[in-house]
Amino acid sequence: MRRFSWFNATSLTFGFAFLYLPMLILIIYSFNESRLVTVWAGFSTKWYGELFQNEQFLDAAWVTVKVAFWSSTIATVLGTMAAYIMVRAGRFRGRGLFSGMIYAPLVMPEVITGLSLLLFFIAIGLDRGVLTIVLAHTTFAMCYVSVVVTSRLVSFDQSLEEAALDLGCTPFDAFRSVTLPIIMPAVISGWLLAFTLSLDDLVIASFTSGPSSTTLPIKIFSAVRLGVTPEINALSTIMIGLVTLGVVSASLVSRATAKKARADEQAAG
């Protein structure tokens, strides 16, 4: 076993400081009494109260949550189906094109993706709004879900499915009763990743949103251009807390599901 050297400890400390120290400073200044975000004038929670009275931020937050939930859910379903086909369908005509279309958004610049989707929505006469943002986020989030689920399906013991088929299950019942519970940690991880990407997206949403469907990143970006206010610090702190809670909860659920899946897999073996 390798020792945890001072060099490793120092590198880890600087790495975590680089990543999380700005967030810590933002959280501290969200409780600042002064309206000047760089001048500490005492502890106060009044900016949180003013934030919850700001209807523009609240409306943008509600739109963002709706878009993230629906786009991540649809992307998880489609991405799981695509991953299953890629792993289990074997070689088929058009497999290379199918694979390239799935993974293209991973390397495509967001500006190009947003612009192409904007032109597409204009061409079919679809008014920009929540629906167009959901469709756009589903388009680029599906590939991330597919990658996560594919990595789990590759290591999946296919003999478990074959045993279920031999016992009289249909392919759908075998997938629902055997495969899906075992790969559920990967599915949950893919959903969480898609949800986080949707919450964080600014570029694609700016192309596909309408006047009544402003998302929170767009609202924050517009407000920051006029100067950072304490309400933005408070809002960012709440978002950090919610994301942290979601990550911890998903990790616990995934760990419990993986433990149960391993137990079922050992029992079946």
Side-chain angles (χ1 to χ4, degrees):
M1 181 180 296
R2 295 181 178 180
R3 290 185 175 182
F4 194 67
S5 64
W6 284 106
F7 176 78
N8 293 335
T10 303
S11 301
L12 187 63
T13 300
F14 276 104
F16 277 113
F18 179 79
L19 290 174
Y20 296 109
L21 187 59
M23 296 184 188
L24 180 61
I25 295 175
L26 183 146
I27 294 172
I28 293 174
Y29 274 95
S30 69
F31 297 99
N32 187 11
E33 174 72 24
S34 174
R35 177 167 287 276
L36 300 176
V37 295
T38 58
V39 178
W40 181 259
F43 181 86
S44 176
T45 59
K46 68 177 183 179
W47 303 117
Y48 288 88
E50 293 194 10
L51 173 64
F52 286 107
Q53 295 178 358
N54 192 322
E55 294 184 0
Q56 293 182 346
F57 276 125
L58 295 179
D59 292 341
W62 176 239
V63 170
T64 303
V65 172
K66 287 194 299 183
V67 168
F69 175 80
W70 287 111
S71 63
S72 59
T73 301
I74 299 172
T76 300
V77 174
L78 297 178
T80 302
M81 294 170 60
Y84 190 83
I85 292 174
M86 290 295 299
V87 175
R88 296 298 172 81
R91 294 186 177 276
F92 57 89
R93 186 180 298 274
R95 177 186 173 89
L97 177 62
F98 181 73
S99 176
M101 292 177 65
I102 292 176
Y103 299 132
L106 286 171
V107 296
M108 188 74 66
E110 290 188 346
V111 174
I112 303 301
T113 302
L115 180 59
S116 61
L117 288 170
L118 171 63
L119 296 177
F120 174 74
F121 293 145
I122 293 176
I124 65 175
L126 185 61
D127 294 333
R128 285 178 292 169
V130 174
L131 177 60
T132 55
I133 305 176
V134 169
L135 294 176
H137 284 188
T138 301
T139 300
F140 79 84
M142 185 184 71
C143 60
Y144 291 93
V145 177
S146 180
V147 170
V148 174
V149 177
T150 297
S151 63
R152 181 63 184 92
L153 283 172
V154 168
S155 61
F156 178 78
D157 187 2
Q158 196 170 351
S159 62
L160 299 175
E161 260 187 12
E162 295 173 353
L165 294 174
D166 292 339
L167 293 174
C169 287
T170 63
F172 176 77
D173 289 335
F175 175 80
R176 179 177 56 86
S177 303
V178 178
T179 307
L180 186 59
I182 295 177
I183 67 171
M184 186 56 69
V187 175
I188 295 175
S189 300
W191 186 91
L192 182 63
L193 179 60
F195 188 85
T196 305
L197 290 171
S198 179
L199 286 180
D200 183 60
D201 177 68
L202 170 65
V203 178
I204 295 178
S206 64
F207 280 97
T208 57
S209 63
S212 60
S213 58
T214 302
T215 62
L216 198 56
I218 296 177
K219 184 63 182 177
I220 293 176
F221 180 74
S222 300
V224 168
R225 295 178 65 182
L226 301 177
V228 179
T229 62
E231 290 94 337
I232 296 178
N233 289 344
L235 176 61
S236 301
T237 301
I238 293 174
M239 292 183 65
I240 292 173
L242 292 177
V243 170
T244 302
L245 180 63
V247 170
V248 172
S249 301
S251 177
L252 294 176
V253 172
S254 298
R255 184 178 301 178
T257 306
K259 185 178 180 180
K260 183 177 181 300
R262 285 195 298 269
D264 294 340
E265 194 171 348
Q266 291 175 358

